[in-house]
Amino acid sequence: MAEHWTIGVDVGGTFTDLCAIEAQTGRIALHKVPSTPANPALAIVSGLDGLADKAGFDLGDVRAIGHGTTVATNALIQRTGARVAMLTTQHFRDLVEIGRQTRPLMYDLRADYPAPLAPRHLRLEITERIGAAGEVVTPLDMATVDAAIETLKDEAVEAVAIAFLFSYLNPSHEQAVKARLTKALPGVAISASSDVMPEFREYERSSTTLLNAYLQPAFGDYMRTLSAEVAARSPRASLGVNQSSGGLMSVDKARDFPIRTAMSGPAAGANGAIHTAMQSGIENVITYDVGGTSADVALIKRQAIGLAFDRDVADFPVRMPMVDINTVGAGGGSIAWFDRGGLMKVGPASAGARPGPACYGHGGSRATVTDANVVLGRLSTRGLLGGDMSLDVEASFRVVGEVARQLGCPIETAARGILDIMAANSVRAIRAISVERGHDPRDFALMPFGGAGPLHAEAVARALGIRTILVPLLPGILCAEGLLVAGRSEALVRSQRLPLDAAAPDTLAALSAELRAEAEAWFDAEDIAPQDRSVSLVADMRHASQNYELQIPVGANVGDLEALKNAFFEAHTRAYGFHNSEDPIEIIALRMTPQGAKPQVGTPPQGAGASTTPAPRSRRPVWFNGPEAIDTPVFDRADLAPGTALHGPAVIDQFDSTLLLFPGDAARIDDALNILITRGGLDQ
């Protein structure tokens, strides 16, 4: 029987990770290559070729590829998108510049929001007006549209965003203008807010649509290039792009809606984390994904992660369903530096992939978190990636030594100081998604992943009082692995301000039926088998006196007002500590998520040399928390069979990461080959 492979590809700021699994045998193949930020497709193509050569399979046998991407986010951060214009309702062209009356930094009088991506002279007004009930107040004047088209031609714009008032209730004007522009401006990307985000809150809807248009040309080119390269190597493979909400979408959909990929990589990590938690039978985990540039943290309760709908991406407001993840500039490449008062800080500036930390040997000249780990003996002197990537140990000692001289302390103390600051930054990010939302982190296991997560898990767990640490089988590749277990999904919405009164059930039933019909059409278009189809329905609900909503699962309660009220009261009490049963309630939107079945990925076969009584491969001095280095056994993770018990101190090396087992801690390999650590609570 021919082999059938599925590949997950996650493009990060420093490395591009690839994880492949063979359907029949469960055999897993891993590969990492340095990212190529100027053209991410180069790293992906190189990685695919290298993965196939390394694992000895034919790329023609690949049936599916899931791709997590940072292209959209990087384009926003670096402002490298298209020359974009915007068409708005007459008198509303300054809406995206006025924004909300909130300050980005409360105590910085000079801080301001970034300028809109469309300058004022490219924000053009169209004579039209839809009212708050969806009625036509002012008919669409096509003469103003044609005048705008001439201006767009003269300005040689590459993309246009269309955002009219109340178009989520009545999209006819936007769609008519979109059709006119598509015919008159071939080759120009067009985004209409009624397609991108058909919801109320005109500022966020306008901003999200503008960002989408800004990203379309470059992202479309990237998708076309990647599709062609994948088709040439794996002609029978379907290519899916991970969305910020956690499911895969088609390449065509990604070309139309690149803004949906703003949190693509972190969402893949959340998928992988949930899969790992399910394998190990743990319901509640806090994820700690540490890469080269940043750390992403999320709270998973009952093996599910919440969605956030209002986030800032590169300082721009985006309203899209995204996994609820908090990000902080604390990664392996985070640079140690001193402020004007002489206090040492770590991050958010990063050495990136090139030059990277000094130990990478690419010319890095400033101390980073990775260099501090090298100085403390926590990383193997053989190098990373199974020895494929050598480390310049002397360079790490040189740059960390500069920090030590400035602090006036031993080099090991300086290195531990760098790691302590990095851990403190991570702890603040975790508190924001746990303690500040009423969750006690001690009720959760910490799941570290990313290349650097397991190195720093103990310090973070100690600061939060977490006693259990769950380390996945493939921590450094978990985002790529998460793409293997992601199914196709879509986000559908009907936005309408609806009081929860006696008239609500009929309206809700009609909206639900519309969404269901749209979901069925999507299932058919994606060729998802009937037995693999499922939908979830939630309502955005709030008290009439509030500005923001809670997402309430609806299920079969569309017409049951009492059940909806009780579910809302329960969620409101959980979020805010109270509810007011007398305050009127309203529904702002219904959201349906149709999704295909997720692929089932089991535990890969254990290596032939694995044992429950493994012998260490080597020993080396490692600095933990005590005054001296400890002679520490170093194990290879491939040698650890289910049932293996280890006690710290120990180092566990593997291809994609390094795990530290501190003195007093105990580790056990479970049946899913994940490592379950129970902290001993010893401060050594």
Side-chain angles (χ1 to χ4, degrees):
M1 183 179 293
E3 292 184 324
H4 288 174
W5 288 84
T6 300
I7 300 177
V9 184
D10 177 56
V11 179
T14 305
F15 288 105
T16 292
D17 301 335
L18 299 98
C19 180
I21 187 167
E22 203 283 309
Q24 299 298 322
T25 64
R27 181 163 71 96
I28 281 181
L30 310 176
H31 195 47
K32 269 181 180 274
V33 295
S35 294
T36 51
N39 185 355
L42 295 178
I44 296 172
V45 171
S46 169
L48 289 172
D49 292 339
L51 175 69
D53 290 342
K54 183 177 179 179
F57 68 87
D58 188 340
L59 286 174
D61 293 329
V62 175
R63 293 296 183 268
I65 297 176
H67 174 36
T69 175
T70 58
V71 170
T73 307
N74 291 341
L76 292 176
I77 292 171
Q78 299 164 10
R79 306 293 192 267
T80 56
R83 180 171 172 79
V84 63
M86 189 172 193
L87 304 188
T88 72
T89 301
Q90 190 175 27
H91 308 309
F92 283 86
R93 70 172 178 170
D94 292 325
L95 179 68
V96 290
E97 190 154 7
I98 296 170
R100 299 285 179 190
Q101 297 303 305
T102 55
R103 299 194 63 83
L105 296 171
M106 183 67 70
Y107 300 106
D108 189 340
L109 300 179
R110 295 172 296 177
D112 202 354
Y113 288 106
L117 297 173
R120 195 169 193 269
H121 74 281
L122 289 182
R123 301 199 298 267
L124 309 177
E125 297 180 350
I126 302 299
T127 300
E128 67 83 38
R129 184 69 176 264
I130 300 292
E135 78 281 13
V136 176
V137 176
T138 302
L140 173 62
D141 183 356
M142 275 298 182
T144 61
V145 177
D146 292 337
I149 288 173
E150 294 306 312
T151 300
L152 297 174
K153 289 179 179 178
D154 293 341
E155 293 287 347
V157 299
E158 301 168 287
V160 181
I162 308 169
F164 295 159
L165 292 186
F166 296 108
S167 61
Y168 64 92
L169 293 174
N170 182 349
S172 60
H173 287 182
E174 278 196 0
Q175 294 302 318
V177 172
K178 179 182 176 181
R180 191 81 151 217
L181 264 62
T182 300
K183 183 177 180 180
L185 301 172
V188 174
I190 312 294
S191 287
S193 74
S194 51
D195 295 327
V196 176
M197 184 205 146
E199 300 182 43
F200 91 132
R201 290 199 173 95
E202 65 274 13
Y203 170 52
E204 287 78 8
R205 178 162 50 85
S206 299
S207 173
T208 304
T209 306
L210 180 56
L211 295 179
N212 193 72
Y214 179 73
L215 295 170
Q216 273 183 293
F219 198 87
D221 291 343
Y222 170 55
M223 286 290 101
R224 281 185 284 272
T225 300
L226 185 61
S227 296
E229 294 289 351
V230 167
R233 289 162 171 76
S234 305
R236 290 182 288 179
S238 64
L239 176 61
V241 181
N242 204 47
Q243 304 179 73
S244 300
S245 57
L248 298 178
M249 60 180 166
S250 67
V251 170
D252 290 342
K253 187 74 74 172
R255 279 200 298 260
D256 290 339
F257 303 109
I259 193 61
R260 291 190 183 183
T261 68
M263 296 287 286
S264 175
N271 277 340
I274 292 171
H275 176 69
T276 298
M278 293 176 65
Q279 285 183 316
S280 293
I282 295 180
E283 283 203 330
N284 302 327
V285 298
I286 291 174
T287 67
Y288 180 46
D289 176 9
V290 187
T293 304
S294 62
D296 299 317
V297 300
L299 186 140
I300 294 173
K301 193 166 187 178
R302 300 187 189 96
Q303 297 176 348
I305 188 171
L307 294 179
F309 290 87
D310 291 287
R311 297 185 64 101
D312 284 350
V313 178
D315 296 326
F316 294 107
V318 173
R319 185 168 173 84
M320 280 276 168
M322 302 183 184
V323 289
D324 194 5
I325 286 174
N326 193 16
T327 301
V328 63
S334 293
I335 294 170
W337 56 283
F338 291 86
D339 66 14
R340 287 180 295 180
L343 293 177
M344 184 170 71
K345 306 289 183 68
V346 178
S350 172
R354 294 281 178 170
C359 60
Y360 285 8
H362 299 314
S365 58
R366 303 177 70 183
T368 67
V369 168
T370 299
D371 293 310
N373 279 309
V374 170
V375 167
L376 295 174
R378 299 182 179 187
L379 285 174
S380 171
T381 55
R382 293 188 302 113
L384 306 177
L385 308 184
D388 291 343
M389 183 177 178
S390 61
L391 295 180
D392 186 343
V393 176
E394 290 184 1
S396 290
F397 273 86
R398 183 174 63 252
V399 294
V400 177
E402 290 294 330
V403 173
R405 278 189 286 276
Q406 191 159 345
L407 291 173
C409 66
I411 189 171
E412 293 82 10
T413 301
R416 285 198 293 202
I418 292 172
L419 300 187
D420 287 345
I421 294 172
M422 186 262 199
N425 293 339
S426 302
V427 167
R428 281 196 297 272
I430 291 175
R431 287 186 183 277
I433 54 103
S434 58
V435 176
E436 294 178 14
R437 300 183 185 180
H439 301 285
D440 188 340
R442 294 172 296 183
D443 296 334
F444 293 74
L446 183 69
M447 185 187 293
F449 56 96
L455 276 172
H456 304 280
E458 199 279 341
V460 171
R462 176 167 18 102
L464 292 166
I466 295 175
R467 296 298 301 274
T468 302
I469 300 172
L470 178 64
V471 185
L473 173 63
L474 305 171
I477 313 266
L478 192 70
C479 288
E481 185 185 5
L483 294 164
L484 299 179
V485 295
R488 301 266 172 168
S489 73
E490 180 59 292
L492 308 176
V493 64
R494 290 293 184 276
S495 186
Q496 182 174 331
R497 190 170 179 177
L498 181 66
L500 204 64
D501 55 23
D506 290 343
T507 304
L508 290 174
L511 293 176
S512 178
E514 287 181 20
L515 288 169
R516 186 71 200 208
E518 193 173 343
E520 290 299 325
W522 178 82
F523 282 131
D524 292 340
E526 292 289 330
D527 197 25
I528 295 174
Q531 66 271 19
D532 293 333
R533 300 178 179 185
S534 64
V535 298
S536 61
L537 184 65
V538 301
D540 290 3
M541 299 178 66
R542 69 183 187 184
H543 285 303
S545 57
Q546 293 177 309
N547 284 333
Y548 294 97
E549 304 80 47
L550 295 171
Q551 278 73 48
I552 309 300
V554 175
N557 297 328
V558 172
D560 190 338
L561 297 186
E562 200 62 32
L564 284 175
K565 284 182 181 180
N566 290 335
F568 172 72
F569 291 153
E570 181 182 342
H572 198 281
T573 301
R574 188 167 57 248
Y576 302 116
F578 78 99
H579 71 270
N580 182 354
S581 58
E582 303 302 320
D583 197 0
I585 301 169
E586 58 186 8
I587 292 177
I588 299 301
L590 275 186
R591 300 180 187 276
M592 182 172 285
T593 304
Q595 49 197 351
K598 294 183 177 181
Q600 298 300 309
V601 176
T603 301
Q606 179 68 60
S611 166
T612 56
T613 56
R617 295 285 184 98
S618 62
R619 304 184 72 91
R620 68 172 182 258
V622 179
W623 293 79
F624 291 93
N625 292 334
E628 301 289 341
I630 300 175
D631 183 46
T632 303
V634 180
F635 296 90
D636 190 307
R637 186 156 183 181
D639 296 339
L640 310 182
T644 299
L646 296 176
H647 294 274
V651 175
I652 301 174
D653 275 339
Q654 60 188 102
F655 167 78
D656 56 321
S657 189
T658 298
L659 168 63
L660 286 184
L661 193 62
F662 273 63
D665 292 354
R668 177 178 61 84
I669 313 302
D670 67 15
D671 291 339
L673 300 180
N674 300 317
I675 299 179
L676 198 63
I677 298 173
T678 302
R679 291 187 53 250
L682 299 179
D683 190 12
Q684 298 183 23

